Amino acid sequence: MAFATFFATVGVADIAFIFAGLTRSYTPRQRFVAATRGVLIATGILLFFSFVGNVILDVFGITLPALRVAGGILLLLIAIDMVFARHTGGTGTTTEEEAEGMTREDISVFPLAMPLLAGAGSISAVVLFTTGARTDLEFWMVVAALVVTMLVAWLTLLVAIPIQRLLGLTGMSVVSRVVGILLTALAVQFVFDGVRDSGLLG
């Protein structure tokens, strides 16, 4: 479940097109360096939130049920965007951010690492899963799922242009919509669990 959520919120199915567009003037070597640096930075950001998530909740007085409901709502909005092929700032870059990124020589930090890979959705998902882990084993399984997701994202970036040519716009849209449907159900489940654990229903 964690891997599927990270896969969707990181936007692995979408980053090929964006990265290919941002690096169309790059050499293969420059594309490799940008992809590697961006993924490493994004992984560091997400791992940071995975280890300090509980501290952040304690500082702001946020309960786990409240986080589950909030995270579920955010994931639901992202899933709806994926199903209807709309692009906002939840899983990737907005139009303004992408336009700014096109003018930069190094896109590895912005917009690749943030907000394309480590965006609001993926950070929320990381905090949600790590703080909800009941045992050390569950926690490390979540961390492992995160690392695997970022590895898949890195591999996807490396073959971005071939994937774009192979699947085309229609193929990528189908993948995105299927993942979006699954994420919708998962987001609703998060909200149900949060309301149930909050005690609001008695």
Side-chain angles (χ1 to χ4, degrees):
M1 184 169 64
F3 175 77
T5 303
F6 294 152
F7 185 91
T9 54
V10 168
V12 175
D14 301 323
I15 57 176
F17 278 109
I18 300 175
F19 185 72
L22 291 173
T23 61
R24 62 175 177 263
S25 62
Y26 282 29
T27 65
R29 172 65 179 173
Q30 290 174 321
R31 193 174 291 113
F32 175 84
V33 171
T36 303
R37 185 181 298 162
V39 168
L40 287 176
I41 293 172
T43 302
I45 293 171
L46 295 177
L47 285 176
F48 170 79
F49 278 98
S50 71
F51 285 100
V52 302
N54 278 316
V55 176
I56 293 175
L57 295 184
D58 290 340
V59 169
F60 289 97
I62 301 172
T63 64
L64 188 55
L67 180 65
R68 284 199 179 113
V69 173
I73 293 172
L74 180 58
L75 292 177
L76 181 61
L77 294 175
I78 291 173
I80 291 173
D81 283 343
M82 293 176 70
V83 171
F84 292 100
R86 296 194 303 240
H87 294 283
T88 61
T91 58
T93 54
T94 61
T95 304
E96 293 79 8
E97 289 169 336
E98 190 168 342
E100 182 178 347
M102 293 290 287
T103 64
R104 292 171 175 261
E105 293 184 0
D106 182 12
I107 61 152
S108 57
V109 177
F110 174 86
L112 183 57
M114 284 191 75
L116 191 57
L117 294 170
S122 54
I123 291 174
S124 298
V126 166
V127 175
L128 186 65
F129 277 107
T130 53
T131 55
R134 297 180 179 86
T135 64
D136 288 342
L137 178 61
E138 286 187 15
F139 174 83
W140 287 110
M141 288 179 65
V142 171
V143 172
L146 171 61
V147 172
V148 171
T149 302
M150 299 308 291
L151 177 61
V152 173
W154 178 66
L155 294 174
T156 302
L157 293 178
L158 294 183
V159 295
I161 292 180
I163 287 179
Q164 184 182 25
R165 291 172 180 166
L166 177 65
L167 295 181
L169 181 60
T170 301
M172 294 299 292
S173 295
V174 169
V175 172
S176 180
R177 283 182 168 91
V178 170
V179 174
I181 292 171
L182 296 176
L183 186 62
T184 300
L186 185 61
V188 172
Q189 187 63 55
F190 280 150
V191 174
F192 286 171
D193 292 344
V195 173
R196 181 197 63 205
D197 295 341
S198 69
L200 293 175
L201 301 180

